[in-house]
């Protein structure tokens, strides 16, 4: 069941990025959490279309795109520490740093693979609301596909000390990607230790991206 939800989350990420297919030279407003999510998605997918021939020749190029265009707007270190949970206090500073970097690589590889799932669904953003006094906000999105119920998403975004915003979690149909991964990795840390989990994340990071065949492809 969890693997099925994880696949929905990944596919939903890819669908969201399809809104930016023709966007060029996009500035990302990091001071507005709602605009940040939309423009970061647009910017990432504009690069996807710009580099499509390179991607076809080398699907691993998707990792470069995600790293350069999307990850600057993801608070991967905060997410990594949340995933570690109570084991954060039991780790050394070196282990925490290695885990955060390994988790960043894991996210890059995971989001890159998500791009191979996308099709041109309709995306609807809910209107933003006042965030002047907020430290965290949810950016609500619906993915609309004919003949299927809408997929409801929330991008969880947090305010940083410099008053900019970064995303740290995705909630799909009420299921948090971060909470799901935390439960999975916490069990592994308990059973195998932090160093083992760091190695597993690095193995995933090093895996090659496999392109999915679309209908009509030969």
């Amino acid at each position: 069941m969890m693997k099925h939800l994880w696949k929905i989350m990944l596919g939903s990420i890819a669908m969201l990025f399809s809104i930016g297919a023709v966007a060029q030279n996009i500035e990302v407003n990091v001071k507005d959490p709602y605009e940040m999510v939309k423009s970061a998605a647009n910017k990432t997918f504009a690069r996807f279309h710009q580099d499509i021939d390179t991607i076809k020749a080398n699907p691993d190029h998707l990792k470069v795109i995600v790293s350069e265009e999307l990850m600057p707007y993801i608070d991967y270190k905060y997410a990594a520490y949340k995933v570690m949970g109570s084991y954060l206090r039991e780790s050394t500073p070196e282990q925490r740093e290695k885990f955060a970097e390994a988790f960043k690589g894991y996210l890059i590889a995971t989001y890159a693979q998500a791009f191979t799932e996308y099709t041109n669904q309709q995306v609807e953003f809910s209107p933003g609301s006042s965030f002047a006094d907020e430290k965290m906000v949810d950016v609500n999105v619906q993915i609309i596909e004919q003949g299927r119920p809408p997929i409801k998403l929330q991008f969880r975004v947090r305010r940083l000390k410099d008053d900019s915003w970064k995303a740290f979690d995705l909630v799909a149909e009420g299921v948090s990607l971060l909470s799901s991964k935390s439960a999975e990795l916490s069990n592994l840390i308990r059973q195998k230790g932090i160093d083992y989990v760091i190695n597993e994340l690095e193995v995933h990071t090093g895996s090659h991206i496999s392109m999915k065949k679309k209908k009509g492809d030969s």
Side-chain angles (χ1 to χ4, degrees):
M1 179 65 176
M2 192 56 68
K3 287 184 177 179
H4 176 66
L5 289 170
W6 178 245
K7 186 174 182 180
I8 289 175
M9 287 179 178
L10 294 186
S12 298
I13 293 170
M15 293 175 198
L16 173 64
F17 292 149
S18 69
I19 64 174
V22 297
Q24 297 291 333
N25 301 320
I26 299 164
E27 294 293 329
V28 178
N29 180 7
V30 297
K31 300 296 185 178
D32 183 321
Y34 302 98
E35 289 301 318
M36 187 274 291
V37 170
K38 287 192 286 187
S39 52
N42 286 341
K43 184 177 178 67
T44 304
F45 214 81
R47 175 73 180 279
F48 176 93
H49 278 268
Q50 174 185 315
D51 292 2
I52 191 64
D53 290 337
T54 303
I55 294 167
K56 288 178 179 178
N58 177 21
D60 284 343
H61 185 67
L62 284 166
K63 293 181 182 180
V64 176
I65 295 174
V66 171
S67 180
E68 294 179 354
E69 307 296 349
L70 179 62
M71 290 309 293
Y73 312 105
I74 304 293
D75 195 347
Y76 71 89
K77 184 170 287 190
Y78 179 82
Y81 289 171
K82 294 286 283 186
V83 164
M84 291 182 74
S86 61
Y87 294 102
L88 181 66
R89 295 189 297 272
E90 301 176 13
S91 62
T92 66
E94 182 181 13
Q95 284 176 321
R96 289 194 289 273
E97 187 65 27
K98 285 184 176 179
F99 187 92
E101 286 302 312
F103 193 70
K104 178 184 179 182
Y106 171 86
L107 290 176
I108 290 171
T110 299
Y111 291 159
Q113 187 62 53
F115 270 91
T116 68
E117 301 279 353
Y118 103 95
T119 51
N120 291 316
Q121 287 85 351
Q122 179 184 354
V123 179
E124 293 182 356
F125 281 89
S126 296
S129 57
S130 175
F131 56 88
D133 299 321
E134 301 294 337
K135 293 184 178 179
M136 293 187 182
V137 301
D138 293 332
V139 180
N140 295 306
V141 182
Q142 283 198 114
I143 308 297
I144 311 297
E145 185 173 6
Q146 189 173 3
R148 296 184 179 181
I151 298 175
K152 296 180 180 179
L153 306 177
Q154 286 182 335
F155 282 84
R156 304 213 66 205
V157 189
R158 66 187 293 258
R159 188 194 297 268
L160 305 185
K161 290 181 179 179
D162 64 358
D163 214 34
S164 66
W165 294 80
K166 284 190 175 184
F168 67 93
D169 192 15
L170 169 67
V171 180
E173 296 295 337
V175 179
S176 162
L177 184 155
L178 201 59
S179 295
S180 300
K181 209 63 195 169
S182 179
E184 176 188 336
L185 294 185
S186 290
N187 285 333
L188 271 180
I189 292 173
R190 175 173 52 81
Q191 295 169 10
K192 303 285 189 177
I194 292 175
D195 292 334
Y196 174 88
V197 174
I198 290 171
N199 182 69
E200 288 296 293
L201 292 172
E202 290 174 343
V203 168
H204 179 84
T205 298
S207 61
H208 292 293
I209 303 301
S210 58
M211 294 297 292
K212 307 296 183 183
K213 282 192 174 183
K214 309 295 191 300
K215 289 183 179 180
D217 287 355
S218 57

